[in-house]
Amino acid sequence: MTTTGIGASIEVAAYGAVSELMSSTSRQWAAAVDHRFVRELFAGSIDDAVMRDYLVQDYQFFESFLSMLGACVAHADELEAKLRFARQLGMLVADEDTYFVDSFAELGIDPADYLHPELTAPTVGFRDLMDDSVASASYPQLLVVLVVAEWLYLDWAESGEEMPQRQVHRGWIDLHRGEAFRGWVQFLVDELERVFQAADDQSSKAESLTRVWQRAVDLECAFFDNVYDN
């Protein structure tokens, strides 16, 4: 089936584990997709100071995110999945890092300010969650965090039709939408559905993964909120 109540056309099993996880955070998820940051980004009206703070903080996830993908290469239980994660690593280095560096230059951010900034509480929380998932060596836990991080971004990035003119706005949206990114998210969702079954046979593991999912969604919402609190 196709999920309802969200913008992206990601296929999930009607009564599967991912559907239940999504239902447990439907309110927070919807709030993130319709967040002020998202609306202003599409409108091209977002203040440069807000965009600067957002991108500088988001860039602090880059190293941890690469580590998560590397951990998935190491701990995925099937060769094809390992290869898929390895290909995604190459895309991040080629495309996403280039966007960040170009955007920092456009917004007049010195390297010292984006390489070693003061971290906000949501940034610390989400980076810790990512690093803990790497340390866990648990493929299901890594997938839970990745699915939240990537699916939620796909969802908000496909929530609008009119695109802003400035590259710093348009580029961030383009990185998180389109056929290739949608295919990546579908792969992650399918993998999580597949491996969650083994965890579901052990209720304590399933409960732990559900808590990780809910924590990740809460931190994503807090991350959006925080750029307007400074």
Side-chain angles (χ1 to χ4, degrees), residues 51-63 96-120 123 127 223:
M51 196 70 194
R52 281 196 298 269
D53 288 345
Y54 175 90
L55 290 179
V56 166
Q57 292 297 314
D58 197 282
Y59 193 61
Q60 308 317 305
F61 300 134
F62 196 72
E63 183 176 349
E96 189 156 331
D97 194 52
T98 298
Y99 164 81
F100 273 114
V101 173
D102 290 348
S103 296
F104 292 148
E106 179 181 339
L107 293 169
I109 306 172
D110 292 331
D113 293 330
Y114 64 75
L115 291 175
H116 305 289
E118 181 178 352
L119 303 184
T120 65
T123 302
R127 198 164 73 171
F223 188 80

Side-chain angles (χ1 to χ4, degrees), residues 141-152:
Q141 182 171 332
L142 287 159
L143 283 169
V144 165
V145 179
L146 283 170
V147 167
V148 171
E150 300 288 65
W151 192 3
L152 185 55

Side-chain angles (χ1 to χ4, degrees), residues 35-184:
H35 197 277
R36 175 185 173 186
F37 175 86
V38 175
R39 296 195 304 270
E40 291 183 353
L41 182 65
F42 271 98
S45 62
I46 194 165
D47 189 279
D48 274 1
V50 171
M51 196 70 194
R52 281 196 298 269
D53 288 345
Y54 175 90
L55 290 179
V56 166
Q57 292 297 314
D58 197 282
Y59 193 61
Q60 308 317 305
F61 300 134
F62 196 72
E63 183 176 349
S64 294
F65 197 84
L66 291 176
S67 295
M68 287 188 70
L69 294 182
C72 286
V73 174
H75 301 298
D77 57 348
E78 294 185 352
L79 177 60
E80 186 57 37
K82 291 176 181 286
L83 294 173
R84 185 68 179 86
F85 285 110
R87 289 195 296 271
Q88 193 67 18
L89 273 167
M91 187 286 295
L92 280 176
V93 173
D95 297 336
E96 189 156 331
D97 194 52
T98 298
Y99 164 81
F100 273 114
V101 173
D102 290 348
S103 296
F104 292 148
E106 179 181 339
L107 293 169
I109 306 172
D110 292 331
D113 293 330
Y114 64 75
L115 291 175
H116 305 289
E118 181 178 352
L119 303 184
T120 65
T123 302
V124 172
F126 204 87
R127 198 164 73 171
D128 285 348
L129 184 64
M130 297 166 77
D131 292 344
D132 287 347
S133 297
V134 172
S136 75
S138 165
Y139 185 44
Q141 182 171 332
L142 287 159
L143 283 169
V144 165
V145 179
L146 283 170
V147 167
V148 171
E150 300 288 65
W151 192 3
L152 185 55
Y153 269 56
L154 170 70
D155 206 5
W156 70 249
E158 295 199 334
S159 66
E161 296 181 3
E162 295 295 327
M163 290 289 282
Q165 295 300 310
R166 288 179 66 187
Q167 175 57 24
V168 67
H169 303 147
R170 176 188 291 269
W172 191 237
I173 297 169
D174 281 340
L175 279 172
H176 300 102
R177 67 189 296 173
E179 183 176 351
F181 191 71
R182 194 180 307 114
W184 161 244

